[in-house]
């Protein structure tokens, strides 16, 4: 079970939002590269970057911060990025810059042809972020709910060849109210590709519950506000996950 620290980028700073609201941003670091190094030193095995400005603008906007993070991390661990990725040229630039995975969200829903082309052009590097509320997918920075069912869409994307799905319960994100285990497991059981849980991670109990369902295909979780405000100790969380799964690390 991977505990994946999130570094959300807004105006070159590391922030956290509540329920995706840009006006509800808390700045945690003015140096995202230093923040990346911190999580690496704490034992992170992957980093999750979100270009928040990019998500709203429809194209990456925090290239400077992303480049600095990649320079800091080097090839020590994989780094994935979401936010504003809408075309193949952008994906190519991201991968050439040193990112391991790109996350396609809104564009996957609005332009499935683009997602299909991306999976063909960059096999093994495409992750889809599905953000949902009450089982229905949201797009455009969570500002619009669609009529699309999460599981139906995920199955289609699996057929396209996506590497994994990040599933976010947007009603819980940034609220420290606990992962929506039931919905995450239901999605994972319907798929053969891995599912990464996101939204609401708050304490070690959540980690324990996730470890109990790892066999269903839930391979990791995105850790955000909880590891920044101190309600969850990242190092302890990864150690607990390793212990629960009998890992040697």
């Amino acid at each position: 079970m991977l505990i994946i620290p999130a570094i959300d980028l807004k105006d070159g700073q590391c922030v956290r939002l509540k329920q995706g609201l840009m006006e509800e941003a808390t700045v945690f670091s003015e140096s995202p590269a230093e923040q990346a190094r911190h999580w690496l030193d704490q034992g992170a095995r992957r980093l999750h970057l979100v270009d928040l400005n990019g998500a709203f603008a429809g194209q990456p906007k925090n290239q400077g911060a992303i480049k600095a993070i990649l320079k800091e991390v080097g090839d020590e661990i994989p780094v994935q990025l979401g936010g504003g990725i809408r075309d193949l040229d952008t994906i190519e630039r991201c991968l050439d810059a040193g990112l391991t995975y790109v996350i396609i969200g809104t564009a996957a829903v609005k332009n499935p042809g683009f997602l299909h082309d991306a999976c063909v052009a960059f096999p093994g590097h495409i992750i889809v972020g599905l953000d949902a509320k009450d089982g229905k997918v949201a797009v455009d920075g969570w500002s619009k709910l669609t009529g699309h069912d999460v599981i139906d869409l995920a199955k289609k994307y699996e057929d396209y060849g996506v590497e994994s799905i990040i599933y976010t319960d947007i009603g819980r994100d940034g609220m420290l109210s606990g992962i929506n285990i039931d919905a995450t497991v239901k999605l994972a059981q319907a798929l053969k590709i891995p599912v990464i849980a996101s939204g609401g991670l708050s304490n070690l109990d959540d980690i324990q519950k996730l470890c109990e369902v790892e066999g269903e295909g839930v391979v990791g979780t995105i850790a955000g506000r909880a590891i920044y405000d101190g309600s969850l100790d990242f190092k302890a969380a990864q150690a607990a996950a390793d212990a629960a799964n009998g890992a040697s690390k």
Side-chain angles (χ1 to χ4, degrees), residues 207-240:
I207 301 297
Q208 193 64 43
K209 289 174 185 174
L210 284 166
C211 288
E212 290 170 3
V213 299
E214 186 169 12
E216 303 292 347
V218 183
V219 301
T221 182
I222 308 295
R225 180 170 288 273
I227 59 172
Y228 284 94
D229 70 9
S231 59
L232 179 67
D233 181 287
F234 171 78
K235 200 170 185 178
Q238 186 63 70

